[in-house]
């Protein structure tokens, strides 16, 4: 994909698609992947199946919020401006709402209802996060990778080790084909 | 809300610039997700938030649309510096990883397609993925400490966490069902308990 592509109509299409999906992304943009696939790949033919999958895999492995896979889809569709338009489209609606909602909540902290919401959600949040980690675990067909995950979980839980060393270690072992 | 007393966490960022730098640094360390690093940097290392505050903000971030860590950045920036802080924290979270990711995609597009190179890249990505899964689980185990003091009682709260986990992993319910179904139930139950407690004091 070339970096500079002059195609305002494609920028606008990308922006519109992601803008429309943004407020549906409860639980993160990753929940919208099936609908993104329908819109961008099947209907509008903006990028290929392979590029679509690569966007998600690459963003998962690279540092930063996973939502950046949206920017990569824009990149593969239409270069730098496509990436920017896509990211702005997916961020603007949810960001505006999140800021307004969190302000509403934080000025009403003393309300029993708000307190109950915050306290009530914590067990659910813990369970959902645990499920996220669980679903990302390597399969049992790869016991060495599974052991690495378990060891990392223990180290993160019980020690003050810098996470970056764990990541570098994982990349190193994986790159050499050990796990 | 900049001026509001929250009182529970010890330290705070001294400037917008420090806020920006902190979020850039933590985002660039977050391979396969930023949450684990965010917890480590913001609660353990810098002490800008307590574990309980972090978990509460995350709970709110979770029910709102949008990426959880981005919503979290907004809320934390807003807490210390108002809307400017919110924008600065979010930009810090996104800008550097955005640039790096596009550079990476560009490089891979031009990289050698020789089998050994591709093989090593794929292996490294798999290794990072295994570590990322472990990081999330370790972080949750650490974050679950405040659950013991939950108004519903530690045991009930832990049971509810397990229920949410099971609904996602075994029953494969859509997230929205779990959030609206189980979430509203626990909130109502907590509300009843808190009302009763308030009435009796």
């Amino acid at each position: 994909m070339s970096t500079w592509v002059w195609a305002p109509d494609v920028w606008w299409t990308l922006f519109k698609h992601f803008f429309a999906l943004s407020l549906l992304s409860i639980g993160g943009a990753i929940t919208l992947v099936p609908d993104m696939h329908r819109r961008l790949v099947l209907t509008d033919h903006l990028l290929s199946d392979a590029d679509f999958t690569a966007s998600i895999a690459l963003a998962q492995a690279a540092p930063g919020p996973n939502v950046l896979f949206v920017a990569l889809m824009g990149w593969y569709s239409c270069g730098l401006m496509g990436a920017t338009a896509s990211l702005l489209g997916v961020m603007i609606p949810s960001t505006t709402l999140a800021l307004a909602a969190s302000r509403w909540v934080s000025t009403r902290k003393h309300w029993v209802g708000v307190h109950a919401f915050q306290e009530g959600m914590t067990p659910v949040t813990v369970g959902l996060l645990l499920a996220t980690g669980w679903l990302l675990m390597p399969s049992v067909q790869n016991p060495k990778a599974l052991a690495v995950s378990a060891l990392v979980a223990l180290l993160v839980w019980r020690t003050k080790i810098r996470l970056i060393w764990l990541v570098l270690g994982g990349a190193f072992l994986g790159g050499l084909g050990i796990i | 809300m900049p001026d509001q007393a929250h009182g529970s966490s010890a330290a705070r960022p001294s400037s917008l610039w420090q806020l920006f730098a902190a979020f850039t640094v933590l985002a660039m360390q977050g391979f396969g997700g930023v949450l684990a690093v965010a917890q480590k940097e913001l609660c353990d290392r810098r002490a800008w938030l307590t574990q309980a505050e972090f978990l509460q903000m995350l709970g709110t971030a979770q029910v709102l649309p949008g990426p959880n860590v981005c919503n979290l950045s907004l809320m934390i920036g807003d807490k210390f510096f108002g809307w400017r802080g919110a924008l600065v924290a979010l930009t810090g979270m996104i800008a550097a990883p955005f640039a790096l990711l596009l550079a990476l995609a560009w490089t891979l597009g031009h990289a050698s397609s020789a089998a050994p190179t591709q093989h090593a890249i794929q292996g490294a990505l798999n290794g990072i993925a295994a570590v990322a899964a472990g990081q999330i689980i370790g972080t949750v185990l650490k974050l679950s400490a405040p659950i013991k003091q939950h108004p519903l009682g530690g045991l009930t709260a832990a049971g509810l966490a397990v229920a949410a986990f099971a609904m996602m992993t075994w029953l494969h319910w859509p997230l929205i069902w779990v959030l609206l179904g189980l979430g509203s139930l626990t909130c109502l139950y907590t509300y009843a308990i808190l009302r009763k407690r308030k009435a009796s004091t």
Side-chain angles (χ1 to χ4, degrees), chain A residues 71-87:
Chain A
L72 269 189
M73 288 179 183
W75 165 267
Y76 284 121
S77 308
C78 196
L80 188 60
M81 282 306 291
T84 310
S86 304
L87 193 62

Side-chain angles (χ1 to χ4, degrees), chain B residues 1-185:
Chain B
M1 304 286 102
D3 301 324
Q4 214 182 328
H6 285 267
S8 26
S9 50
R12 55 168 290 142
S14 58
S15 64
L16 284 171
W17 171 242
Q18 200 193 9
L19 188 72
F20 178 82
F23 274 87
T24 301
V25 166
L26 77 84
M28 291 301 277
Q29 291 179 66
F31 291 82
V34 184
L35 203 67
V37 191
Q39 191 278 331
K40 192 131 199 143
E41 286 277 319
L42 298 171
C43 304
D44 296 355
R45 236 165 62 81
R46 298 180 191 264
W48 289 352
L49 299 168
T50 64
Q51 306 256 31
E53 280 177 308
F54 187 86
L55 201 52
Q56 283 184 353
M57 282 185 170
L58 193 59
T60 312
Q62 186 134 251
V63 294
L64 292 167
N68 294 343
V69 287
C70 294
N71 287 345
L72 200 64
S73 318
L74 281 173
M75 291 176 196
I76 294 169
D78 189 39
K79 173 184 158 154
F80 293 118
F81 294 107
W83 67 269
R84 286 178 313 154
L87 275 184
V88 164
L90 183 65
T91 312
M93 176 66 92
I94 287 182
F98 175 75
L100 179 80
L101 193 58
L102 294 192
L104 203 64
W106 185 87
T107 313
L108 286 180
H110 292 73
S112 146
S113 56
T117 321
Q118 293 293 329
H119 201 71
I121 293 177
Q122 194 52 49
L125 293 184
N126 288 343
I128 292 175
V131 170
Q135 279 182 356
I136 293 187
I137 293 187
T139 304
V140 189
L141 292 174
K142 202 156 63 174
L143 273 179
S144 59
I147 279 213
K148 286 190 210 116
Q149 281 97 45
H150 199 272
L152 298 178
L155 211 60
T156 315
L160 287 165
V162 172
F165 176 78
M167 286 172 183
M168 291 299 287
T169 54
W170 287 332
L171 303 177
H172 297 288
W173 285 10
L175 177 72
I176 190 97
W177 292 13
V178 183
L179 283 175
L180 292 182
L182 189 68
S184 58
L185 221 65

Side-chain angles (χ1 to χ4, degrees), chain A residues 23 25-27 60-65 68 95 98 103 106 109 112 118-120 122-123 125 127-129 131 149 153 161 167 170 174, chain B residues 1 4 6 27-28 30-32 34 40 62 65-66 71 74 78 83 100 123 125 127 130 134 138 150 157 161 165 168 175 179 186 198:
Chain A
L23 289 183
S25 63
I26 293 176
Q60 291 277 1
L68 288 172
T95 302
R103 287 189 160 199
S106 70
K109 262 189 184 314
V112 180
Q118 290 194 315
E119 288 283 355
T122 53
T125 305
L128 289 177
L129 287 176
S149 292
I161 191 168
V167 171
Chain B
M1 304 286 102
Q4 214 182 328
H6 285 267
M28 291 301 277
F31 291 82
V34 184
K40 192 131 199 143
Q62 186 134 251
N71 287 345
L74 281 173
D78 189 39
W83 67 269
L100 179 80
L125 293 184
H150 199 272
F165 176 78
M168 291 299 287
L175 177 72
L179 283 175
T186 51
K198 208 174 181 186

Side-chain angles (χ1 to χ4, degrees), chain A residues 145-166:
Chain A
L146 206 56
V148 167
S149 292
L151 179 68
V152 166
L154 200 66
L155 285 173
V156 170
W157 183 24
R158 285 302 187 186
T159 72
K160 291 197 176 296
I161 191 168
R162 289 295 292 256
L163 301 178
I164 192 72
W165 299 123
L166 299 172

Side-chain angles (χ1 to χ4, degrees), chain A residues 53-75:
Chain A
T53 317
S55 302
I56 299 171
L58 200 55
Q60 291 277 1
N66 293 335
V67 67
L68 288 172
F69 78 84
V70 167
L72 269 189
M73 288 179 183
W75 165 267

